[in-house]
C-alpha cells in the first residue's frame, strides 16, 4: 500500500514537472503574420544581425516576439531557428499595409495582443493564420502589389513655374501617365531599373501584371494621386525607377522612346523617385490557396476580415506620414530639381566621357 501511494505521489510530481517542461517545450507551429508599418526612420524591413547602427522593422518585431514569449531568446539572435522569412524586403523609409512573415512560434493565448503590446504603435500585427510546415512566405508568394502616393505637381511641365499647392492634374495628363505606365506591363528586361545587374543577367527579367495611376484627391491643400503596380517580384529600387522615368517623360525631360531603349543592353541613366510614397499593399498566394486553402486543415491566405483594420492603419499612420513628411522635408520637390542633371540622351558611358571633358 505504502509503495502504491509513493508511486502515485511520484507520478503526480513527475506530472507537474512534465507540465512545466511541456510549457517550456510547447510545440511550435508554422504561422504567418499579417503586418502593417510606417517605415519612416527605419532602414527597411530586413534585420542586419550584429549591426545595431541601422534600425530595421524586424529588430522591433523580433524583440516583441521574444518579450511576448512566442519564441525563445536565442531564436531572436539566430532567426533561422524559427524558420523566419519575410515576403518582401522593403527598402529604407518604405511602409507596408500588408506585409507577410512566416515563422514558427509557440501559440500562446492572446498571441496578437501580447505581440502588439511590445511593439510601437506604428508597427501592428493585424492577423495570424496557420500554414503548412514547409511554407515559406517568400518562395510561395506569386505576386506583390505596391502603391506609390505622390503629389500630382510631380507631373507638371518642367518649363512652367508651379505653385505646389495650386497645381491640379488635368484629365489629358493623367491619360498620358497611364499610357506610359501601361508600357511596363508584361515581361521585360529591367536591368536599367536596378543597380548591380547586367543586361544579360536572367534575374533582371521581371513580369508586371498591372500598373496604373488612380484619380487624384486633395489632402491638406495638396493634390495627391496613387500609382498601383502588381508584379511577380521586384528588384531593389525597381518601382521607384519605373515611376521616376515616367515623371521625367511627362515633365518633358526625356523622350517617350527612352522606355524602349531601357529594355535593350545599353545602360540608361534612369532617375529614382523618392522612397517616401512607396507602400507594400498586399502579397498574393494564389497557387498556395488553390492547393491548401480548402483542404480542411488550413485557411486560404486571404485577409478580407482584416481589410478594415488595414484601411484604418493606413489612414492613421501611413498617409499622414507621407503627407506631413512631404510638406516638411519636400522630398518630391527636391528630387524634381535634380531631373535636369540627368542625361537622358546618352548612356551612362557617354555621361562619364562628358563629365571628364567638362572637368
Amino acid at each position: 500500500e505504502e509503495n502504491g501511494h509513493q508511486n502515485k505521489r511520484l507520478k503526480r510530481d513527475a506530472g507537474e514537472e512534465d507540465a512545466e517542461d511541456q510549457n517550456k517545450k510547447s510545440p511550435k507551429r508554422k504561422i504567418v503574420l499579417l503586418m502593417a508599418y510606417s517605415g519612416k526612420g527605419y532602414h527597411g524591413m530586413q534585420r542586419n544581425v550584429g549591426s545595431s547602427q541601422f534600425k530595421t522593422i524586424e529588430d522591433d518585431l523580433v524583440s516583441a516576439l521574444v518579450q511576448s514569449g512566442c519564441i525563445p531568446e536565442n531564436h531572436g539572435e539566430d532567426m533561422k531557428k524559427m524558420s523566419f522569412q519575410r515576403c518582401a524586403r522593403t527598402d529604407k523609409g518604405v511602409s507596408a499595409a500588408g506585409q507577410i512573415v512566416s515563422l514558427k512560434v509557440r501559440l500562446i493565448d492572446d498571441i496578437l495582443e501580447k505581440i502588439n503590446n511590445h511593439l510601437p504603435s506604428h508597427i501592428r500585427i493585424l492577423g495570424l493564420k496557420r500554414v503548412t510546415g514547409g511554407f515559406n512566405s517568400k518562395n510561395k508568394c506569386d505576386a506583390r502589389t505596391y502603391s506609390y502616393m505622390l503629389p500630382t505637381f510631380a507631373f507638371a511641365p518642367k518649363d512652367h513655374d508651379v505653385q505646389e499647392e495650386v497645381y491640379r492634374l488635368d484629365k489629358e495628363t493623367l491619360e498620358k501617365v497611364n499610357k506610359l505606365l501601361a508600357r511596363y506591363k508584361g515581361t521585360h528586361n529591367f536591368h536599367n531599373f536596378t543597380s548591380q545587374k547586367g543586361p544579360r543577367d536572367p534575374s533582371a527579367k521581371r513580369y508586371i501584371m498591372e500598373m496604373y495611376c488612380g484619380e487624384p484627391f486633395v489632402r491638406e491643400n495638396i493634390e495627391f494621386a496613387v500609382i498601383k503596380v502588381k508584379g511577380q517580384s521586384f528588384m531593389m529600387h525597381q518601382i521607384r525607377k519605373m515611376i521616376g522615368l515616367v515623371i521625367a517623360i511627362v515633365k518633358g525631360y526625356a523622350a517617350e522612346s527612352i522606355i524602349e531603349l531601357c529594355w535593350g543592353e545599353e545602360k540608361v541613366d534612369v532617375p529614382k523617385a523618392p522612397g517616401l510614397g512607396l507602400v507594400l499593399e498586399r502579397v498574393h498566394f494564389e497557387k498556395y490557396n488553390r492547393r491548401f486553402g480548402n483542404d480542411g486543415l488550413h485557411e486560404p491566405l486571404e485577409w478580407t476580415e482584416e481589410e478594415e483594420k488595414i484601411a484604418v492603419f493606413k489612414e492613421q499612420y501611413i498617409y499622414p506620414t507621407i503627407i506631413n513628411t512631404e510638406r516638411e522635408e519636400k522630398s518630391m520637390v527636391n528630387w524634381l530639381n535634380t531631373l535636369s542633371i540627368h542625361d537622358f540622351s546618352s548612356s551612362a558611358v557617354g555621361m562619364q566621357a562628358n563629365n571628364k571633358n567638362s572637368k
Side-chain angles (χ1 to χ4, degrees):
E1 258 185 295
E2 266 180 46
N3 283 350
H5 280 301
Q6 209 171 355
N7 285 347
K8 274 183 187 168
R9 198 166 61 245
L10 284 170
K11 272 184 184 167
R12 194 169 61 242
D13 291 349
E16 281 166 9
E17 275 174 46
D18 280 351
E20 256 182 66
D21 282 353
Q22 200 53 43
N23 198 21
K24 278 181 196 159
K25 297 175 186 171
S26 56
K28 293 193 186 66
R29 295 282 178 257
K30 184 59 100 49
I31 59 152
V32 295
L33 296 175
L34 171 70
M35 283 184 82
Y37 52 84
S38 169
K40 192 188 177 187
Y42 288 88
H43 280 254
M45 170 76 183
Q46 191 172 0
R47 195 166 186 226
N48 308 307
V49 178
S51 167
S52 54
Q53 186 187 354
F54 300 117
K55 195 174 164 198
T56 69
I57 299 290
E58 280 174 20
D59 287 328
D60 282 358
L61 173 63
V62 169
S63 166
L65 291 170
V66 171
Q67 286 174 47
S68 61
C70 299
I71 59 167
E73 203 159 326
N74 64 345
H75 287 204
E77 287 144 30
D78 181 359
M79 291 165 79
K80 284 195 193 83
K81 284 184 175 163
M82 55 169 161
S83 309
F84 185 92
Q85 187 57 260
R86 88 256 342 132
C87 191
R89 232 179 9 199
T90 51
D91 293 342
K92 179 185 173 185
V94 175
S95 298
Q99 169 75 283
I100 296 286
V101 298
S102 56
L103 66 158
K104 283 182 177 165
V105 296
R106 296 185 189 123
L107 282 175
I108 56 174
D109 294 336
D110 306 320
I111 182 167
L112 291 192
E113 194 186 330
K114 282 175 183 163
I115 300 170
N116 281 326
N117 284 345
H118 294 286
L119 282 170
S121 58
H122 55 265
I123 303 177
R124 291 289 93 179
I125 307 296
L126 301 178
L128 175 153
K129 288 187 195 288
R130 288 276 304 272
V131 284
T132 56
F135 184 87
N136 174 315
S137 59
K138 188 180 171 202
N139 300 347
K140 291 278 184 273
C141 179
D142 312 304
R144 296 151 176 89
T145 297
Y146 282 84
S147 68
Y148 187 86
M149 183 172 166
L150 77 172
T152 57
F153 62 70
F155 297 120
K158 63 172 180 172
D159 302 325
H160 291 240
D161 188 24
V162 175
Q163 292 296 312
E164 283 97 48
E165 300 205 351
V166 179
Y167 182 80
R168 296 294 178 259
L169 187 67
D170 59 62
K171 203 164 167 252
E172 291 74 31
T173 310
L174 181 58
E175 277 170 13
K176 185 177 183 181
V177 168
N178 275 319
K179 209 174 87 188
L180 291 166
L181 292 173
R183 288 175 66 178
Y184 287 124
K185 289 202 290 197
T187 302
H188 300 285
N189 186 339
F190 282 96
H191 75 98
N192 272 309
F193 294 84
T194 189
S195 53
Q196 294 147 357
K197 277 203 198 295
R200 297 185 182 182
D201 187 333
S203 69
K205 278 207 164 70
R206 300 288 159 133
Y207 173 50
I208 305 296
M209 295 154 189
E210 62 176 358
M211 193 166 188
Y212 63 91
C213 181
E215 290 293 324
F217 53 91
V218 176
R219 291 282 173 95
E220 312 227 353
N221 298 331
I222 299 178
E223 186 180 66
F224 287 87
V226 173
I227 293 171
K228 284 264 175 82
V229 55
K230 181 181 180 183
Q232 213 165 19
S233 60
F234 297 95
M235 296 176 289
M236 192 174 177
H237 301 152
Q238 183 185 336
I239 297 170
R240 288 164 62 187
K241 283 187 171 246
M242 289 162 77
I243 291 167
L245 190 60
V246 166
I247 292 172
I249 295 168
V250 174
K251 289 187 84 65
Y253 286 103
E256 274 190 48
S257 57
I258 198 163
I259 294 183
E260 292 306 313
L261 191 66
C262 286
W263 309 141
E265 295 210 350
E266 200 175 346
K267 187 82 183 130
V268 179
D269 179 23
V270 177
K272 179 177 72 193
L276 176 67
L278 192 58
V279 179
L280 173 63
E281 286 285 336
R282 58 175 305 182
V283 288
H284 308 265
F285 296 97
E286 280 118 5
K287 281 196 199 90
Y288 174 86
N289 287 345
R290 277 199 297 275
R291 186 159 176 209
F292 297 106
N294 300 306
D295 65 357
L297 297 168
H298 305 95
E299 303 167 87
L301 295 182
E302 294 288 349
W303 305 95
T304 36
E305 286 170 31
E306 287 75 15
E307 290 292 344
E308 200 175 317
K309 282 195 247 175
I310 293 170
V312 168
F313 186 88
K314 277 161 48 171
E315 288 295 335
Q316 268 186 327
Y317 294 99
I318 296 177
Y319 294 154
T321 301
I322 293 171
I323 294 160
N324 296 335
T325 308
E326 185 52 58
R327 289 183 73 92
E328 288 160 24
E329 297 174 15
K330 300 203 173 297
S331 61
M332 184 56 79
V333 177
N334 296 336
W335 176 76
L336 291 171
N337 291 334
T338 68
L339 283 177
S340 56
I341 301 163
H342 288 269
D343 186 349
F344 297 102
S345 59
S346 66
S347 68
V349 180
M351 277 177 63
Q352 283 160 7
N354 292 344
N355 288 347
K356 275 181 190 165
N357 292 343
S358 61
K359 276 176 191 167

